[in-house]
Amino acid sequence: MRAVAHRPHMTQLQTTRSAHTPLISANPTNRALRGVLDEWNATASNRRAVRHANNWGLPGEPVSTLDEMVVRAGFGGPKNWDEGDTYLLELVKLAATDPLAARIVLQRVLPPVLGIARRRGNHMRGGPDAAVNDLLTQAWLVITSYPAERRPRKVAANIVRDIEYFEYVAHNRLRKTSVLFVNHDHFTVGETALSLAHTHPGPDDDVRNFLLELERRGVSPIRIEILRLSCEGWRASEIATRLGLKERTARWHRAEALAAAREIIADAKMDDALPRGSAA
């Protein structure tokens, strides 16, 4: 696994970059990472996505590619670039409810996350490729639940530290029924996802409705359960043992379930944010 982050020139949040030159070039053998990079390269210049991002009203001129927002958020810049950190903070605030903003933040922190995968993967079964799979899922959870108001400084560094902590440290501590870093609005439920029909009405109805939407779209019960367990802090190896699966199979089901979940959230947010009948 090898990734190279290019360092573009930055001047007062104004960035120019060819749509054909990705910020991160890689030749990964890992399927999950390859999918993430391919997805980003397709999204970064998508007119609908760019228009949606420009509607946020972030500092600087409107962008022509989402890569420009990644750079403005500090990608490739100095560690203590306050302007980039402030821009990233605004993206993180949006990421709590907007999957596109969360995806931009993920791209911003992807190089150090890959560094963690290389370092940690050398000491775990499955190597760096397995570590990438686990860290990508954890990264999404951390980004979408980051406490922006409480931790508004050194945002990128904090996010990267949180990803490593929750993936490799927190799971060794006493596990509670729920954990604070999970975005409960999208992914978790107090009851098992395999018996949603037997849950009672209450404040978690939106959560159950989301999981039922996954089922409506054809996501299998096993994948829904794996996603729920992942969001509660279970690692792929633990999920595999609990459900009687091979670890590689559990990772594959989790990746497929998370992809379906992202599509549901993205569809809902795009429909709400864009005028009806607008061109792509």
Side-chain angles (χ1 to χ4, degrees), residues 16-188:
T16 303
R17 193 170 188 86
S18 168
H20 302 289
T21 306
L23 288 175
I24 300 175
S25 61
N27 54 346
T29 58
N30 180 272
R31 179 182 175 185
L33 177 57
R34 185 169 64 248
V36 166
L37 294 177
D38 289 345
E39 173 221 359
W40 174 257
N41 291 335
T43 302
S45 298
N46 180 277
R47 288 184 295 168
R48 190 182 186 195
V50 171
R51 183 168 61 248
H52 179 60
N54 281 326
N55 285 338
W56 294 331
L58 297 179
E61 295 296 321
V63 301
S64 59
T65 171
L66 299 182
D67 278 338
E68 295 177 41
M69 286 191 165
V70 177
V71 174
R72 292 179 183 187
F75 186 99
K79 290 184 178 180
N80 298 317
W81 190 42
D82 291 340
E83 196 173 12
D85 199 48
T86 299
Y87 193 94
L88 178 60
L89 179 64
E90 294 305 310
L91 282 171
V92 170
K93 290 177 181 177
L94 291 165
T97 57
D98 194 313
L100 182 60
R103 184 62 188 85
I104 295 171
V105 175
L106 176 60
Q107 196 70 10
R108 163 65 181 87
V109 301
L110 192 54
V113 169
L114 295 180
I116 294 171
R118 285 191 293 270
R119 175 165 47 83
R120 291 281 188 172
N122 290 330
H123 306 285
M124 61 179 286
R125 188 173 63 180
D129 286 350
V132 167
N133 291 349
D134 290 337
L135 287 166
L136 288 177
T137 301
Q138 193 64 256
W140 189 266
L141 300 176
V142 168
I143 289 167
T144 55
S145 60
Y146 183 81
E149 301 299 331
R150 184 160 51 85
R151 300 167 70 191
R153 300 286 182 269
K154 300 186 181 300
V155 178
N158 284 332
I159 288 174
V160 172
R161 280 196 294 266
D162 285 356
I163 291 168
E164 184 169 20
Y165 172 79
F166 287 122
E167 184 59 37
Y168 296 108
V169 180
H171 70 278
N172 288 323
R173 300 191 174 191
L174 181 62
R175 199 178 264 114
K176 298 181 180 180
T177 302
S178 61
V179 286
L180 295 177
F181 65 91
V182 171
N183 184 346
H184 291 268
D185 290 340
H186 293 319
F187 294 115
T188 61

Side-chain angles (χ1 to χ4, degrees), residues 231-244:
C231 292
E232 289 185 353
W234 291 68
R235 300 186 66 191
S237 58
E238 296 169 324
I239 293 172
T241 299
R242 176 184 172 115
L243 300 180

